[in-house]
Amino acid sequence: MKTATKRTPLNNWHRSQGANMADFGGYDMPLWYSSVKEEHLAVLTGAGIFDTSHMAAVIVDGSGAAALLQHCFTNDLDACMGPARKPLSPGRCVYGAFLDKKGQPIDDAIVFFMEADSYMVVVNAGMGGAIADHLRRNLGGREAAVTDLTDRLGKMDIQGPAAARILGRVLSDPEAVFAGMPYFSFKGHIDPTSPLADEVRLDDGTPILLSRTGYTGEFGFEIFLAPDKIQRLWERLLEAGQASGIKPCGLAARDSLRAGAVLPLSHQDIGHWPFINHPWPFALPFNADQTGFTKDFIGRAALEQHTDFSFTQAFAGRDLRKITAGEGSRVIDADGQTIGTVLTCATDMGIGRHGGEIFSVASPDKPAGFTARGLCCGFVKVNRKLSVGQHVDIADSRRKITVTIVDDVRPHRTARNPMADMI
Amino acid sequence: MKAISELKLPEDVRYTDDHEWAKKNGNVVRIGISDYAQDQLGDIVFVELPEVGSTFDKGEEFGTVESVKAVSELYMPIGGEVTAINEALADEPERVNSDPYDSGWMMEIKASDPAELEALKSKADYLEMLKG
């Protein structure tokens, strides 16, 4: 059975701009407008906006909502904030995944704690139904209502060092909005009748939910609002950001930006294998010495019982040349043995090597005359743990390149910068 | 993405089914990729070309063009020996995007059989193929 490709509220806008379109997660989405490279660089040096209305939100309400999420979500809502592992508080959100009993991800997600007994779960394109079903099936007598808002909520992201300055021009009372808004916090509400909706309004009165999160590794926001309000906001931000070099960005730039920021793509970097031994341990409820978990959750037993897991690790190449990841790709060790496959291989066009070190176009300490030629990077899944700094070859049917196992790729990312430095 | 009517398709080059072009330039034949190909590929970030002196048959892979999206093979429109490559593409691969038929040319060859050039698609035939 073939289902029709869905369209986001911005679809006509993308097509009118001549965007190169493709199916992603069942949605007709822009890959790029005129230049992926310029879009990628705009997010490192100015700002970019992304249509992310293909993503889905699921609302979990009720006195048992917290307990249901504790049971289904990998992160520990009672101990996930900061080094002190404080409980998630209203206005804060946290990354994690929903696993099946085999410990394999159904999808990754960010859980937003809206207010007492009310959470919003943001998942990937087309996954709203699956996650809502999973939550309902695991209610186990808990008092909670699960509402899938797929295609009922508009979403766009503004990312880049100029994001707050641009957004501030279209907000009512930006100073109050940006005050006390650390990384992974949010304000406002998706329901215009909620008293919380007054926390963030556009200057035309439109309520939005504004979250200091994103998928680029750079400073910025995810914005949730009514679908019929999104095009106006999109166009106003493009206008407000003109002097800052704002660009509409497609999924190709989104992919290369997230690869350089060592962020996983669900169903590609996390998938049908146990959700452990990967570069995102903060998504699991590990105790302080990483020997066990601080809470019970679906998939826990599987993660604890197995010992023959594969390892997912980030790599960076020597130059911008890449290979085709996925089936048919291979990771080859120094002895010529195939030890795994390549999950993601993308080119971060904003970085390059100089004297063995990686610099970004945004690095304050970049050497004189440095030009970013781009660097291939991504994730490998291998059958043994490799050490940071170790070289392996990755290959597809055409090309073999040598890459280095790393714990980070693009330096000087801005996502966690203090708000005060960005407004 | 360009509409077919927006594509630059010069009359004086010949086209292949794989979207390369070839054009007689004095004693040699210049080779590159079409406006349609560069538009489909997106930003070209690297062009891998063979060494001068290498010889290829018609249809043989002679290099790769790497965009942010993918790595794609380049195929010989006609057979011949490589007499020059466009060295400027090493530093400015984006020329293939901005100027695919002129400063974005890829290499020059000495044709092994000049008749092969005439057998390639004319602009009209290539356009017909793109329209499907």
Side-chain angles (χ1 to χ4, degrees):
Chain A
M1 193 175 75
K2 190 173 159 54
T3 46
T5 309
K6 293 193 197 183
R7 295 167 162 215
T8 68
L10 285 164
N11 189 272
N12 286 339
W13 191 92
H14 303 317
R15 290 198 165 266
S16 74
Q17 299 296 309
N20 193 308
M21 306 291 289
D23 179 281
F24 181 81
Y27 289 79
D28 183 48
M29 297 298 288
L31 289 181
W32 67 81
Y33 298 88
S34 61
S35 163
V36 185
K37 186 177 174 181
E38 285 173 18
E39 291 165 25
H40 181 112
L41 293 176
V43 173
L44 301 188
T45 58
I49 49 174
F50 299 81
D51 177 7
T52 50
S53 290
H54 60 311
M55 294 176 70
V58 175
I59 302 296
V60 187
D61 283 328
S63 59
L68 175 60
L69 289 169
Q70 277 293 63
H71 179 54
C72 295
F73 190 58
T74 54
N75 222 321
D76 186 347
L77 303 184
D78 288 334
C80 61
M81 274 178 45
R85 289 282 185 165
K86 291 187 185 159
L88 191 68
S89 52
R92 297 297 185 106
C93 48
V94 64
Y95 174 77
F98 293 95
L99 308 183
D100 61 18
K101 289 201 172 96
K102 290 188 271 182
Q104 303 181 2
I106 303 165
D107 202 12
D108 65 356
I110 294 181
V111 169
F112 293 72
F113 188 5
M114 313 284 279
E115 54 192 315
D117 300 332
S118 183
Y119 295 82
M120 177 172 76
V121 179
V122 176
V123 296
N124 290 277
M127 294 307 295
I131 293 300
D133 285 349
H134 178 71
L135 289 166
R136 288 186 197 114
R137 271 201 309 274
N138 289 287
L139 268 173
R142 296 177 191 90
E143 287 292 326
V146 177
T147 313
D148 175 15
L149 292 185
T150 295
D151 300 331
R152 286 156 61 187
L153 198 57
K155 178 174 180 286
M156 61 168 288
D157 302 358
I158 179 166
Q159 302 272 294
R165 293 190 289 273
I166 296 168
L167 184 63
R169 292 178 200 135
V170 306
L171 285 180
S172 167
D173 203 357
E175 265 179 53
V177 170
F178 294 144
M181 209 178 173
Y183 192 44
F184 271 74
S185 72
F186 65 97
K187 290 183 179 182
H189 204 282
I190 52 168
D191 177 0
T193 63
S194 163
L196 292 170
D198 277 332
E199 284 185 339
V200 193
R201 287 186 187 275
L202 303 178
D203 54 12
D204 65 4
T206 305
I208 63 172
L209 188 151
L210 184 67
S211 171
R212 232 197 102 179
T213 46
Y215 191 49
T216 62
E218 300 305 322
F219 175 82
F221 304 90
E222 296 185 282
I223 302 169
F224 300 82
L225 76 172
D228 61 344
K229 304 284 188 193
I230 197 166
Q231 183 158 340
R232 180 169 154 78
L233 175 59
W234 180 269
E235 289 174 337
R236 288 200 64 203
L237 287 172
L238 283 177
E239 197 185 313
Q242 209 166 22
S244 313
I246 197 169
K247 285 203 175 295
C249 301
L251 292 180
R254 190 167 160 83
D255 192 55
S256 53
L257 285 159
R258 69 92 190 171
V262 198
L263 298 172
L265 175 59
S266 194
H267 312 291
Q268 181 169 309
D269 300 311
I270 63 176
H272 296 299
W273 61 90
F275 186 68
I276 198 162
N277 298 332
H278 51 58
W280 315 286
F282 48 80
L284 286 164
F286 280 117
N287 58 17
D289 54 8
Q290 309 264 311
T291 52
F293 296 130
T294 56
K295 68 154 187 180
D296 199 16
F297 59 98
I298 298 173
R300 172 186 180 161
L303 296 187
E304 284 175 340
Q305 281 159 12
H306 287 270
T307 50
D308 55 345
F309 294 133
S310 58
F311 292 81
T312 303
Q313 296 186 264
F315 69 86
R318 289 180 172 164
D319 56 36
L320 59 76
R321 277 176 290 177
K322 58 183 172 293
I323 63 143
T324 304
E327 258 178 76
S329 67
R330 288 176 299 141
V331 181
I332 304 150
D333 71 4
D335 299 326
Q337 300 293 312
T338 295
I339 57 169
T341 59
V342 184
L343 302 172
T344 283
C345 187
T347 301
D348 185 326
M349 291 305 298
I351 57 174
R353 287 191 184 273
H354 187 96
E357 206 180 324
I358 302 175
F359 292 93
S360 149
V361 289
S363 294
D365 61 343
K366 65 186 175 195
F370 169 77
T371 50
R373 287 177 168 265
L375 203 59
C376 125
C377 57
F379 300 103
V380 291
K381 185 158 79 78
V382 287
N383 61 15
R384 69 200 69 166
K385 191 168 171 33
L386 304 173
S387 48
V388 167
Q390 190 172 341
H391 299 295
V392 289
D393 287 339
I394 60 173
D396 60 14
S397 58
R398 178 193 305 121
R399 182 185 273 178
K400 185 162 85 172
I401 59 176
T402 300
V403 300
T404 308
I405 299 300
V406 295
D407 52 17
D408 205 359
V409 180
R410 190 171 69 246
H412 301 106
R413 296 197 300 272
T414 52
R416 294 164 188 273
N417 282 16
M419 181 68 89
D421 297 350
M422 311 304 281
I423 49 179
Chain B
M1 211 164 64
K2 290 184 180 182
I4 287 182
S5 60
E6 293 172 306
L7 293 173
K8 279 184 282 180
L9 299 174
E11 297 276 3
D12 61 349
V13 309
R14 308 289 272 185
Y15 301 88
T16 70
D17 293 358
D18 299 313
H19 312 289
E20 289 89 10
W21 58 261
K23 178 188 179 179
K24 197 162 177 348
N25 193 18
N27 293 331
V28 295
V29 174
R30 258 195 186 184
I31 290 169
I33 64 169
S34 74
D35 194 26
Y36 174 83
Q38 72 77 20
D39 187 52
Q40 290 288 316
L41 289 167
D43 283 339
I44 288 161
V45 294
F46 193 79
V47 184
E48 200 163 23
L49 294 171
E51 298 201 355
V52 171
S54 351
T55 307
F56 299 94
D57 291 333
K58 174 183 165 69
E60 211 178 329
E61 182 181 331
F62 69 85
T64 57
V65 58
E66 181 149 0
S67 69
V68 175
K69 185 177 155 194
V71 184
S72 310
E73 293 89 353
L74 296 163
Y75 299 104
M76 290 296 273
I78 62 172
E81 182 188 336
V82 180
T83 58
I85 61 164
N86 186 353
E87 308 274 0
L89 297 184
D91 281 330
E92 295 177 73
E94 61 274 17
R95 285 183 183 202
V96 178
N97 291 117
S98 58
D99 196 15
Y101 303 102
D102 290 308
S103 69
W105 66 279
M106 290 181 173
M107 62 179 194
E108 288 176 342
I109 63 165
K110 202 172 133 205
S112 38
D113 176 4
E116 284 180 348
L117 184 61
E118 298 310 313
L120 297 178
K121 283 187 157 62
S122 66
K123 173 188 171 172
D125 291 346
Y126 183 59
L127 197 56
E128 207 53 40
M129 184 187 91
L130 293 181
K131 285 177 181 165

